[in-house]
């Protein structure tokens, strides 16, 4: 079961007013819905804000087999005795922390509906398995959900009744100067290769209609930079961290490597 954790504030470079809106929503006891492409910083924003607000954070990676019990809790057998164990949502409600449902559209609808009473004026939850015990959310409790709008479909989307209970924040990849700062802070890569890498990432995003389902995220650029810090050449690091995760198609991979070579100012294709 997910444990409550407190974090030191990780570095987060805001691209708009998302920090102010998030903090305002927390003060007003409103739920937040984060929308944005893979690797743009949704999880990092939540971690940063939990530390900044000094509240525990319980993170749940949602999946299609996740049930309401996975969020609320269940009875477990311990040493021959049966005892109740709170789920991450219940922990957050009791402690006054943030419960973060990552990729919430992957979860079953019955699991998502379980949060409704916590996202309106009631701020309560009822545990039917504990005889209908009703818990009032402690001060500081906040529900945050995230998803990638690019993967939306009729079968994988939030109900309007759920969406209207939340404050929406649209995130995207940062501009080049901000992304350069982020990758530099996370990897320590030298300026020349860092400039090449940022220009490569920007170029791949401009060509997003070239047959790729996703473009190079800030996360993949950081991974490539870290590989370079370990001694790998620009081409090898970018191929492993960017091209390989983006596609399995040999022709597309070859095209990506050609683009990678074009942005390698060292011309050391190692």
């Amino acid at each position: 079961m997910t444990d409550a954790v407190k974090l030191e504030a990780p570095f987060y470079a805001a691209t708009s007013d998302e920090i102010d809106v998030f903090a305002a929503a927390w003060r007003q006891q409103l739920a937040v819905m984060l929308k944005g492409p893979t690797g743009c910083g949704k999880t990092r924003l939540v971690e940063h804000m939990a530390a900044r607000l000094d509240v525990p954070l319980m993170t749940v990676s949602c999946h299609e087999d996740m049930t309401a019990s996975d969020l609320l809790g269940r009875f477990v057998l311990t040493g021959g005795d049966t005892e109740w164990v709170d789920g991450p949502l219940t922990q957050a409600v009791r402690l006054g922390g943030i419960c973060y449902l990552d990729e919430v559209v992957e979860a079953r609808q019955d699991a998502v509906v379980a949060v409704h009473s916590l996202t309106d004026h009631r701020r309560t939850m009822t545990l039917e398995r504990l005889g209908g015990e009703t818990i009032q959310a402690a001060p500081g409790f906040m529900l945050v959900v995230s998803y990638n709008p690019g993967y939306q479909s009729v079968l994988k989307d939030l109900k309007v009744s759920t969406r209207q209970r939340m404050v929406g924040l649209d995130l995207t990849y940062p501009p080049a100067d901000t992304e350069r700062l982020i990758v530099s802070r996370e990897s320590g890569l030298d300026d020349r290769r860092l400039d090449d890498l940022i220009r490569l990432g920007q170029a791949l995003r401009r060509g997003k209609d070239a047959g790729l389902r996703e473009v190079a995220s800030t996360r993949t650029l950081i991974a490539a930079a870290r590989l370079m810090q370990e001694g790998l050449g620009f081409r090898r690091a970018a191929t492993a961290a960017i091209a390989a995760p983006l596609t399995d198609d040999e022709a597309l991979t070859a095209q990506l490597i050609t683009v990678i070579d074009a942005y390698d100012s060292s011309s050391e294709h190692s």
Side-chain angles (χ1 to χ4, degrees):
M1 194 64 65
T2 306
D3 293 325
V5 295
K6 281 195 175 183
L7 305 167
E8 293 185 6
F11 175 72
Y12 178 82
T15 59
S16 184
D17 60 355
E18 62 266 29
I19 289 178
D20 292 338
V21 174
F22 193 111
W26 179 78
R27 289 192 297 269
Q28 289 297 317
Q29 301 184 336
L30 299 171
V32 165
M33 173 176 57
L34 302 177
K35 299 180 287 180
T38 299
C40 72
K42 298 186 294 294
T43 298
R44 178 58 67 93
L45 171 61
V46 178
E47 293 174 347
H48 177 83
M49 294 306 299
R52 187 165 174 162
L53 298 170
D54 193 28
V55 294
L57 171 63
M58 281 65 78
T59 299
V60 181
S61 297
C62 298
H63 53 84
E64 60 186 8
D65 295 322
M66 191 179 81
T67 66
S69 294
D70 293 319
L71 292 177
L72 303 179
R74 54 170 51 89
F75 286 102
V76 298
L77 189 62
T78 305
D81 296 322
T82 301
E83 64 179 34
W84 173 264
V85 176
D86 283 343
L89 179 60
T90 307
Q91 291 181 49
V93 169
R94 293 189 194 276
L95 295 173
I98 294 174
C99 183
Y100 173 44
L101 307 184
D102 188 18
E103 294 298 339
V104 67
V105 294
E106 298 293 336
R108 288 168 36 170
Q109 286 295 338
D110 67 307
V112 177
V113 170
V115 309
H116 278 193
S117 62
L118 290 164
T119 56
D120 58 27
H121 66 282
R122 293 171 291 176
R123 284 177 60 84
T124 61
M125 67 185 304
T126 301
L127 300 176
E128 299 295 344
R129 293 189 177 184
L130 291 182
E133 176 186 351
T134 298
I135 306 172
Q136 184 71 44
F141 168 75
M142 183 184 205
L143 179 74
V144 181
V145 305
S146 73
Y147 66 94
N148 181 349
Y151 291 155
Q152 280 184 273
S153 69
V154 174
L155 298 177
K156 289 189 176 182
D157 195 5
L158 283 179
K159 290 182 177 180
V160 174
S161 60
T162 301
R163 296 167 65 93
Q164 291 188 1
R165 295 169 178 270
M166 302 179 184
V167 173
L169 276 173
D170 290 295
L171 303 183
T172 188
Y173 299 122
D177 55 346
T178 303
E179 189 161 57
R180 189 184 191 283
L181 174 62
I182 294 169
V183 178
S184 176
R185 284 284 299 265
E186 296 292 329
S187 69
L189 191 65
D190 61 85
D191 288 344
R192 178 181 57 78
R193 292 186 297 173
L194 181 60
D195 288 339
D196 290 347
L197 189 59
I198 297 304
R199 291 190 301 115
L200 170 63
Q202 297 289 317
L204 292 175
R205 289 170 198 160
R206 288 194 297 270
K208 64 180 179 180
D209 296 325
L212 297 172
R213 290 185 61 195
E214 288 283 350
V215 296
S217 68
T218 303
R219 181 187 297 137
T220 62
L221 299 185
I222 292 170
R226 287 179 172 174
L227 290 179
M228 290 180 210
Q229 282 292 78
E230 289 296 320
L232 272 66
F234 188 91
R235 173 197 266 195
R236 188 70 192 95
T239 299
I242 300 173
L246 289 182
T247 183
D248 294 323
D249 184 272
E250 292 184 4
L252 275 176
T253 298
Q255 292 176 28
L256 289 175
I257 292 174
T258 298
V259 176
I260 289 169
D261 287 346
Y263 285 89
D264 181 3
S265 65
S266 71
S267 70
E268 297 175 359
H269 301 156
S270 52

